[in-house]
Structures are given as C-alpha cells and as structure tokens.
Amino acid sequence: MNHKNDECYTRKCESDKLVKFLIRNKIIKRSQRIWLPFNDYGSNIHKSLKENGFSNLKITNDDFYAINDRDFDIILSNPPFSGRSKLFTRLMEIDKPFILLQPIMFFNNGTCIRILTKNGAKFGGICPKNRMTFERNMGFLFPKNSMGFIVNGVEKEKTTAFYSFWLCFKTKITGFTDLE
C-alpha cells in the first residue's frame, strides 16, 4: 500500500555516499546482479550505481509482491515506508541479501522486530551521520509554448528530515556502522 505522502526519493548526494561506501568496503561488486524493485531508471540510486560502473541492474515495473524471479544477487532500494510488515515478510520469503533504506520508525513495527530478533546475526546497518532529507514529486509543470503544453520536468521539494539508515541483510555488514 502506497500512501500519497509516502513517495519520498533518495537525494543524489545520499545515493552517491552509499554507493561509494559499498564500493570502498567491498560490500557489492560491479559484477553483481542488483535488483532495484522500488526504483526506476531516473532514480538517484540507479544513477549513482550506473555512474560508478554497475551495469547489471534490474528495474521492474511489476508488483514486488508478485514477482518470483530470483535472478539477482542483492536488492538495493528505498522502498515506501508504509506497508513495512508486508515488505519484510516478503523479503524473508525471498531470502536474498538486501540493503534497504528505512526510517528509525522501523523499530516501532512488531513484525519487523520479530524478524530482526529471529535473524539478528544476518542483519546490520549503515547509519548516516546526519538526518537525511528526501525529494518528493510535486506534480508536472506544463509550460505553454508555440506547440501547446509540454512536460518540462517534475517539480521537487525537500521534505522534512528524519533519521533513516540502510538496513542490511546477509551482507558483509554486521552490527551497525557509520556512513562517512
């Protein structure tokens, strides 16, 4: 379930920091097949990976909960923050490594806490030193020109900052570490 205010996108500077950290610490390899199930080709996470030499990136427009394809090595994404119980139940069914952005409110969800305590040794976290801000689509701008109305881009706004971290499952990250 996707709430209207739930679509907050990772900013480019945050995506760049994460990708550089993952490369520097040998968490992911450029040869790995990375699934970005909650991203599109214009997402900043996708752009950061491409700019850093990753080419085996899987973007799907299908329903994450209906896909049974396991032809990937790791999931990397910023999923909607609502529907967390359903998301993490599905991730445990898939049972593949992942790195997902999560708000600190993750720890207020009973399902997530039960999954975390049951599989504790398989989890870790990458913690930014500061709160992250996000981008949110504010709708399309339709400027008028001699040809009529055209889509010129998407207006963005910065959202209120709150603490978020990258939750890692079955990666080299054990425990919690700073994101420089």
Side-chain angles (χ1 to χ4, degrees):
M1 181 163 67
N2 208 5
H3 298 291
K4 187 174 186 172
N5 292 330
D6 197 44
E7 290 199 32
C8 295
Y9 304 99
T10 310
R11 294 176 58 222
K12 183 71 163 70
C13 61
E14 300 294 346
S15 298
D16 288 344
K17 275 192 269 187
L18 175 68
V19 171
K20 288 178 189 330
F21 175 89
L22 296 174
I23 292 168
R24 187 173 52 252
N25 291 286
K26 299 179 171 115
I27 308 301
I28 57 175
K29 299 175 188 167
R30 288 182 177 91
S31 61
Q32 284 184 295
R33 297 163 300 169
I34 302 172
W35 185 20
L36 301 120
F38 300 99
N39 299 83
D40 60 29
Y41 293 102
S43 78
N44 289 323
I45 293 173
H46 182 263
K47 288 177 188 175
S48 294
L49 288 164
K50 290 290 278 187
E51 289 169 5
N52 283 281
F54 292 86
S55 59
N56 202 349
L57 305 174
K58 179 179 179 175
I59 301 277
T60 54
N61 292 326
D62 301 318
D63 181 1
F64 172 75
Y65 301 97
I67 293 175
N68 289 315
D69 180 8
R70 301 282 201 277
D71 189 26
F72 63 90
D73 299 307
I74 190 167
I75 295 171
L76 175 61
S77 201
N78 171 3
F81 288 167
S82 63
R84 201 169 293 114
S85 294
K86 183 178 178 183
L87 171 66
F88 281 92
T89 299
R90 175 72 174 137
L91 287 165
M92 292 300 102
E93 290 170 2
I94 293 172
D95 196 32
K96 290 270 205 158
F98 63 76
I99 300 171
L100 296 179
L101 188 63
Q102 286 297 295
I104 196 69
M105 290 78 74
F106 169 87
F107 295 103
N108 288 339
N109 182 294
T111 299
C112 293
I113 292 301
R114 284 187 291 283
I115 289 170
L116 189 63
T117 55
K118 181 179 178 186
N119 300 282
K122 297 176 185 176
F123 279 98
I126 304 169
C127 302
K129 293 201 182 263
N130 299 306
R131 292 178 177 192
M132 295 171 65
T133 57
F134 298 89
E135 295 175 350
R136 190 171 64 169
N137 283 350
M138 294 304 295
F140 289 97
L141 300 174
F142 297 99
K144 193 167 189 167
N145 67 9
S146 61
M147 296 172 54
F149 291 94
I150 60 169
V151 175
N152 187 33
V154 177
E155 184 180 359
K156 304 277 188 185
E157 100 173 337
K158 273 185 167 179
T159 61
T160 305
F162 51 89
Y163 196 80
S164 300
F165 65 101
W166 295 95
L167 184 66
C168 306
F169 178 72
K170 288 186 165 184
T171 69
K172 292 180 183 177
I173 300 290
T174 57
F176 287 82
T177 187
D178 284 330
L179 177 60
E180 301 95 27

